[in-house]
């Protein structure tokens, strides 16, 4: 797997590292995340940006040696962690994330994100959905309908998704999905009543110039 990471990533726009984090790690991340949400009075928004700002536990997670090795293959030796966010879906926060690419949210150089399952994720509780290879289609128009008020202001349009080869990324807690910021992705609503939490961390090549990102408060070079 390790030798093929770069090749697979370039062809498909994503790679999966199964079992990257242990049960113990995941337990610690969920406990710490619960405290962070409580301390910051976070309710039903479903997304909290800045876990590594809030706790060193997440800074350490961002620098997991096996993950860093994979990122170095994709990005090169100059890997910079920019930011992370918790995407927490449960019985009260059950919406699916709409189809989008991440690139229009930050522009500048292309970034690499890592979606880490903090719960087992299935179609019933809101696993990720992706279109393999869609990162090769470039940046789409992002004029999708936002009238549901669920945020995600840069959405793909239905026409971008119709006829595409969509796959569901079923994951066990501890699995990590590394993906390109042009990859078309979304998630199912969580109709299970159970938690479906994920941590998404974003990285860049430190050799690339970029604007000052106000959200990258805990950025560090790995
Ligand atoms: O975990 C999910 O629901 C997807 C979230 C997502 O794609 C994002 O926040 O950019």
């Amino acid at each position: 797997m390790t030798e093929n990471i770069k090749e697979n990533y370039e062809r498909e726009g994503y790679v999966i590292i199964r079992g990257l984090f242990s049960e113990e790690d995941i337990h610690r991340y969920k406990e710490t995340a619960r405290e962070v949400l409580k301390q910051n009075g976070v309710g039903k928004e479903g997304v909290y940006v800045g876990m590594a700002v809030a706790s060193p536990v997440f800074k350490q997670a961002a620098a997991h040696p096996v993950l860093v090795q994979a990122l170095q293959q994709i990005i090169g030796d100059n890997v910079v962690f920019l930011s992370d966010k918790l995407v927490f879906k449960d019985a009260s926060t059950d919406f699916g994330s709409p189809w989008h690419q991440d690139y229009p949210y930050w522009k500048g150089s292309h970034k690499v994100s890592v979606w880490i399952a903090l719960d087992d994720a299935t179609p019933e509780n809101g696993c990720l959905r992706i279109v393999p290879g869609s990162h090769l289609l470039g940046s789409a128009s992002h004029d999708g309908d936002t009238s549901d008020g669920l945020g995600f202001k840069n959405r793909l349009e239905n026409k971008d998704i119709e006829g595409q080869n969509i796959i569901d990324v079923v994951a066990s807690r501890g699995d990590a999905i590394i993906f390109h910021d042009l990859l078309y992705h979304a998630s199912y609503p969580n109709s299970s009543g159970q938690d479906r939490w994920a941590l998404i961390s974003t990285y860049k090549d430190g050799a690339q110039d970029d604007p000052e990102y106000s959200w990258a408060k805990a950025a560090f070079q790995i």
Side-chain angles (χ1 to χ4, degrees):
M1 173 73 181
T2 315
E3 296 75 44
N4 295 330
I5 283 184
K6 188 176 173 64
E7 203 180 298
N8 289 349
Y9 179 85
E10 285 179 353
R11 190 183 59 244
E12 306 291 340
Y14 74 102
V15 284
I16 302 178
I17 307 180
R18 299 281 177 196
L20 176 68
F21 293 97
S22 68
E23 283 286 335
E24 204 183 351
D25 290 333
I26 295 300
H27 181 73
R28 189 165 64 252
Y29 300 157
K30 273 202 86 168
E31 286 298 299
T32 311
R34 269 197 200 94
E35 281 165 28
V36 170
L37 295 185
K38 200 164 145 198
Q39 276 161 12
N40 290 282
V42 179
K44 298 189 174 184
E45 295 84 350
V47 178
Y48 182 81
V49 179
M51 299 306 289
V53 176
S55 168
V57 165
F58 291 101
K59 270 193 119 159
Q60 213 181 355
H64 187 294
V66 175
L67 177 57
V68 171
Q69 258 181 23
L71 290 168
Q72 282 172 340
Q73 286 196 44
I74 293 167
I75 292 175
D77 285 338
N78 199 345
V79 176
V80 171
F81 165 81
L82 283 176
S83 180
D84 57 3
K85 62 184 178 184
L86 182 72
V87 185
F88 52 102
K89 310 285 179 67
D90 56 26
S92 65
T93 309
D94 58 358
F95 62 89
S97 303
W99 283 103
H100 65 283
Q101 295 173 305
D102 288 334
Y103 182 70
Y105 290 95
W106 43 60
K107 305 206 172 70
S109 69
H110 285 294
K111 314 292 186 294
V112 178
S113 289
V114 187
W115 189 102
I116 298 158
L118 300 184
D119 292 296
D120 295 344
T122 64
E124 290 69 41
N125 77 345
C127 73
L128 209 57
R129 312 182 72 200
I130 61 170
V131 176
S134 52
H135 64 303
L136 300 173
L137 300 173
S139 187
S141 71
H142 307 288
D143 290 333
D145 181 9
T146 55
S147 58
D148 57 19
L150 292 175
F152 289 92
K153 61 183 167 41
N154 297 301
R155 302 190 191 190
L156 292 168
E157 295 181 69
N158 291 339
K159 68 171 173 49
D160 296 316
I161 302 304
E162 274 158 20
Q164 296 284 2
N165 170 34
I166 297 171
I167 64 165
D168 296 346
V169 189
V170 173
S172 300
R173 52 188 180 277
D175 291 351
I177 299 146
I178 303 177
F179 65 98
H180 194 287
D181 63 3
L182 289 175
L183 190 77
Y184 293 8
H185 63 288
S187 66
Y188 284 108
N190 180 359
S191 56
S192 69
Q194 308 298 312
D195 283 3
R196 196 248 57 186
W197 289 23
L199 177 71
I200 309 181
S201 307
T202 298
Y203 301 81
K204 64 166 277 184
D205 175 357
Q208 301 287 329
D209 279 339
D210 266 319
E212 280 292 315
Y213 293 120
S214 59
W215 43 267
K217 294 188 181 69
F220 66 97
Q221 170 126 26
I222 292 178

